[in-house]
Amino acid sequence: MSNTIYIGYYFKVKPLQPATEILIAELGYAGFESFVENEDGVTAYIQKEDWNETILSDIQILKSSEFKISYEFNEIEQVNWNAEWEKNFNPIVVDNLCSVRAPFHEKPNTKYDIIIEPKMSFGTGHHETTHMMIQHILKNDFTNKSVLDMGCGTGVLAILAEKKGAKPIDAIDYDNWCYLNSIENVQRNNSSHITVLEGDSSLLVNKSYDIVIANINRNILLQDMKTYAASLNKNGMLFLSGFYADDIPIIKTECEKYLLKFEEKLERNNWVSLKFLN
């Protein structure tokens, strides 16, 4: 079992917008890695090793008189995580083509049906970034393309890539929970062309791909962009997400350093996903 422990913060926000959007943006820069919005506000998660008692001291919106924001937090008990997901995880459908659901949901009438049991990893399709990456995969030709899913989470994007005809596929995540969960989900979806690896971009030495998918966060993307570019075959496609509209200029500038050409932008609730060509 993974020794990764998460801290969950439960924010109640009034009025919800634009406060929730601003709060998520600030928390993202502070190191929080996943967010679930609800009718009262937002729940935010951060790894315990990245957490400290003053983690919220630079979150300016908490000091604003325009909004009323209260919160509580606690350490997430991993053994209870599946039960929490079963209570809150609803199936989604992207562009009437791809469904993402848990094993206990009824099978919908979609062209691509992905069964995910999230456990302690993130990437169910509910978050805007995963949703947009699914849209990119649906819109583009993956037939017989070699693919890297970097920061694979639950493995959902790698699984959809295979359903779109891609092979071979590497799915990589540094988090042990994500690694183990992706293996389970790959098996659950009868995917036979996906290799799940535990680690970071150092695993990409001497590897190359027709398509690179990286749904992580701004800082990691900027840090590893040189490696992604070096791993991309000629005429390859790079799909990036995990950042906000305000981050587009710095992401574009970094990509252009490696002669990657901007092709398309998707935006959803101020989160964005970009496509580049090699």
Side-chain angles (χ1 to χ4, degrees):
M1 179 178 289
S2 166
N3 58 5
T4 303
I5 299 173
Y6 284 83
I7 305 292
Y9 276 75
Y10 312 93
F11 294 93
K12 290 187 176 181
V13 182
K14 291 183 181 180
L16 279 175
Q17 295 299 345
T20 300
E21 182 177 307
I22 298 170
L23 177 61
I24 289 174
E26 291 196 55
L27 292 172
Y29 286 121
F32 286 79
E33 65 180 52
S34 189
F35 308 94
V36 179
E37 295 184 57
N38 54 60
E39 60 184 15
D40 295 321
V42 63
T43 300
Y45 300 97
I46 186 170
Q47 289 193 34
K48 187 175 181 179
E49 64 181 26
D50 297 327
W51 175 86
N52 60 72
E53 292 183 356
T54 62
I55 192 75
L56 300 184
S57 61
D58 291 328
I59 308 301
Q60 297 303 312
I61 192 172
L62 297 179
K63 305 169 186 175
S64 171
S65 59
E66 296 181 51
F67 311 106
K68 182 179 180 182
I69 303 176
S70 61
Y71 66 89
E72 57 186 39
F73 67 95
N74 65 279
E75 189 172 297
I76 304 295
E77 296 184 31
Q78 295 172 340
V79 293
N80 293 331
W81 193 253
N82 286 350
E84 290 301 309
W85 272 110
E86 290 199 14
K87 286 191 293 184
N88 299 296
F89 179 34
N90 297 314
I92 67 159
V93 175
V94 178
D95 295 347
N96 296 315
L97 287 172
C98 178
S99 54
V100 183
R101 62 185 176 93
F104 48 85
H105 293 136
E106 290 187 17
K107 182 179 180 180
N109 183 26
T110 55
K111 185 174 182 179
Y112 305 105
D113 179 39
I114 300 174
I115 303 171
I116 296 294
E117 192 162 334
K119 295 195 173 178
M120 194 58 175
S121 51
F122 304 103
T124 61
H126 290 75
H127 193 272
E128 284 84 348
T129 59
T130 313
H131 189 108
M132 288 183 291
M133 292 296 249
I134 289 174
Q135 288 181 303
H136 275 307
I137 296 173
L138 291 172
K139 291 166 61 176
N140 287 273
D141 181 15
F142 275 64
T143 307
N144 294 320
K145 305 287 189 183
S146 57
V147 172
L148 167 65
D149 179 6
M150 194 72 204
C152 60
T154 59
V156 61
L157 300 178
I159 292 166
L160 178 57
E162 178 173 309
K163 289 180 182 292
K164 286 286 310 272
K167 60 180 178 180
I169 302 162
D170 285 342
I172 299 176
D173 206 295
Y174 75 94
D175 183 88
N176 183 251
W177 272 101
C178 296
Y179 166 71
L180 296 174
N181 188 215
S182 290
I183 291 174
E184 293 178 6
N185 288 327
V186 163
Q187 295 171 344
R188 184 174 284 111
N189 288 272
N190 299 312
S191 300
S192 57
H193 299 292
I194 300 173
T195 301
V196 182
L197 302 168
E198 183 177 5
D200 56 22
S201 61
S202 64
L203 296 176
L204 303 182
V205 177
N206 298 323
K207 286 181 174 286
S208 62
Y209 306 90
D210 298 317
I211 299 172
V212 172
I213 300 167
N215 182 18
I216 309 179
N217 63 58
R218 186 193 75 158
N219 293 337
I220 297 297
L221 293 176
L222 293 172
Q223 170 187 299
D224 291 342
M225 196 69 70
K226 181 178 181 179
T227 304
Y228 302 151
S231 302
L232 199 58
N233 291 333
K234 186 177 180 180
N235 300 319
M237 294 184 285
L238 172 65
F239 298 99
L240 304 174
S241 197
F243 51 92
Y244 304 99
D246 290 346
D247 298 318
I248 292 175
I250 192 172
I251 294 289
K252 278 188 176 180
T253 298
E254 189 66 17
C255 286
E256 288 166 359
K257 282 170 57 176
Y258 306 107
L259 305 180
L260 298 169
K261 298 180 286 292
F262 173 70
E263 175 77 6
E264 185 181 10
K265 178 189 79 172
L266 299 179
E267 184 167 352
R268 189 176 176 87
N269 296 330
N270 202 40
W271 293 89
V272 292
S273 180
L274 304 180
K275 174 186 177 182
F276 291 86
L277 301 179
N278 189 13

